[in-house]
Amino acid sequence: MLEDLKPTKRTYPCKVDLVAKELSESDRKILLKAVDDPEWKYKTLQNELAKRGIRLVDTTIARHRAKTCGCYRD
C-alpha cells in the first residue's frame, strides 16, 4: 500500500521568471537581457527597474544570474 510513498519535492519559483511572464514579449527580452548582463550592477539594475514599477531585488537578480534560482534547479 505504501510502496510508492516519497516526499514531495518543493519548488521555488524565480521572481525574475514570474515578473518576466507578466511583461510584453519585447519588455521580457529586454528584462532578461539586462538581468543576464554583467555590465549591470545588481543594485543599479534594481533601482532602474524600480523607477519603472518593477520590483526585483539585487539578491534575486544575483541568484538568477548565477543560475542558482528556481529556473535552474532540478
Side-chain angles (χ1 to χ4, degrees), residues 2 4 6-8 45 67 72:
L2 300 177
D4 64 344
K6 298 179 205 170
T8 57
L45 182 54
K67 297 181 176 19
Y72 300 99

Side-chain angles (χ1 to χ4, degrees), residues 31-42 45 61 65:
L31 173 67
L32 294 176
K33 183 177 178 184
V35 167
D36 289 335
D37 186 350
E39 295 273 327
W40 276 104
K41 304 287 186 223
Y42 302 123
L45 182 54
I61 296 167
R65 194 177 289 173

Side-chain angles (χ1 to χ4, degrees), residues 10-51:
R10 188 163 181 202
T11 58
Y12 299 92
C14 175
K15 178 81 184 250
V16 172
D17 185 50
L18 293 174
V19 169
K21 287 179 179 175
E22 295 176 356
L23 299 173
S24 68
E25 183 65 31
S26 61
D27 283 345
R28 182 179 308 120
K29 287 179 183 179
I30 293 167
L31 173 67
L32 294 176
K33 183 177 178 184
V35 167
D36 289 335
D37 186 350
E39 295 273 327
W40 276 104
K41 304 287 186 223
Y42 302 123
K43 231 8 163 181
T44 305
L45 182 54
Q46 172 189 318
N47 293 336
E48 289 302 314
L49 291 171
K51 289 178 187 176

Side-chain angles (χ1 to χ4, degrees), residues 44-60:
T44 305
L45 182 54
Q46 172 189 318
N47 293 336
E48 289 302 314
L49 291 171
K51 289 178 187 176
R52 291 156 175 84
I54 296 175
R55 182 161 158 64
L56 282 176
V57 296
D58 58 337
T59 54
T60 300

